[in-house]
Amino acid sequence: MEPTTSFTGNPNASLGRVLAGIRQRQGIQPGPVDDGPTPDQPGHPEYHRRQRAEWALGRWQTAVPPRYRNADATHPAVQAWADRVATDPTTAGSLLLTGTTGTGKTHQAYGALRRIAEAGPPTYEIRAITAADMHGLLRPNGSPRGTEEELRRLCRVPLLLLDDLGAGKSSEWTEDITGRLINERYNASRPTVYTSNLPARSGSGPDLASVLGERIVSRLSEDTAIVAMTGPDRRRTAA
């Protein structure tokens, strides 16, 4: 007759008690068990950062003109500003890129917005507009929403790119509307990227102070990193 073995109870629990007894006799303590999620699993901070970055890059794609879909922030000062915005937009301040036509200001500006998206910030909402288009939008009958509503939308968007600041003919109205926008965003600590063919102040010749008024430039200088882009016209060089 073959021998039989009778066993009742939970085999895993019994094995655990045996191993615990062995460790106790030998003075062996159980080591830490890393049973947390990996970076590729939900619950890990890196997993959720990647998810936010993917979503933000989608928003960036919809806001960027096709010509700048490959924009990348390569200037160290622009990269540093973008990193500050990604970390804490309320303390990052704004960015002003100055330089003559074709020095890559708009490319760097869109690249900065892309770098912020790639960081996977908690929120990401942007709008990009040229100064000329903004003035057209805010003139009477420029939008069915009305001037004040459009201005509020520009003031409240978390991240704004205003391209070609100071371009076109200046007037008391353009100075006033631009001043209101800059002042509202400054008071709310909302970061803005500005580009301009004009320097903030030159001492001789046209500059933003002479075109937009000293009051606007003074407000800009309080919390804005100014980066002067130099070099030849890249468009002509490429041609």
Side-chain angles (χ1 to χ4, degrees):
M1 183 175 179
E2 293 294 330
T4 60
T5 300
S6 177
F7 182 85
T8 60
N10 186 337
N12 291 330
S14 298
L15 179 60
R17 287 194 294 271
V18 171
L19 292 175
I22 294 174
R23 286 195 297 265
Q24 185 176 13
R25 287 195 299 271
Q26 296 181 351
I28 300 174
Q29 298 298 322
V33 177
D34 184 9
D35 58 356
T38 68
D40 294 323
Q41 294 176 323
H44 194 283
E46 177 60 16
Y47 173 88
H48 295 288
R49 186 201 68 79
R50 291 174 185 170
Q51 293 294 307
R52 294 194 304 269
E54 182 179 351
W55 182 87
L57 282 169
R59 297 295 299 269
W60 180 82
Q61 288 279 349
T62 63
V64 175
R67 184 174 296 278
Y68 297 102
R69 292 284 167 80
N70 294 321
D72 189 21
T74 57
H75 195 291
V78 177
Q79 293 176 340
W81 177 81
D83 292 343
R84 291 196 300 272
V85 174
T87 301
D88 185 1
T90 63
T91 61
S94 293
L95 176 69
L96 171 60
L97 301 172
T98 66
T100 54
T101 300
T103 51
K105 301 182 298 297
T106 304
H107 182 96
Q108 290 291 323
Y110 278 115
L113 299 182
R114 178 178 184 170
R115 187 178 179 93
I116 296 167
E118 290 173 339
T123 60
Y124 189 79
E125 184 180 351
I126 65 172
R127 185 169 181 184
I129 190 170
T130 66
D133 286 341
M134 181 188 74
H135 294 152
L137 184 69
L138 298 180
R139 291 189 186 280
N141 302 320
S143 166
R145 293 191 179 95
T147 298
E148 290 302 315
E149 176 58 24
E150 290 292 359
L151 181 58
R152 278 192 292 269
R153 288 163 63 89
L154 290 171
C155 290
R156 292 175 181 175
V157 67
L159 191 54
L160 174 69
L161 165 56
L162 183 57
D163 207 9
D164 281 338
L165 184 66
K169 186 177 180 180
S170 179
S171 67
E172 184 177 346
W173 180 83
T174 59
E175 181 178 333
D176 177 68
I177 209 74
T178 305
R180 287 181 61 188
L181 174 70
I182 292 173
N183 190 63
E184 287 292 330
R185 295 189 64 80
Y186 169 85
N187 288 338
S189 297
R190 294 189 178 104
T192 309
V193 188
Y194 305 97
T195 73
S196 179
N197 291 344
L198 301 172
R201 294 186 178 89
S202 68
S204 61
D207 55 21
L208 286 177
S210 62
V211 172
L212 297 178
E214 182 62 38
R215 179 175 62 89
I216 293 177
V217 175
S218 177
R219 179 50 60 96
L220 277 175
S221 65
E222 290 185 40
D223 78 332
T224 302
I226 300 176
V227 179
M229 303 293 295
T230 59
D233 188 332
R234 299 183 184 184
R235 299 187 185 99
R236 292 186 178 181
T237 301

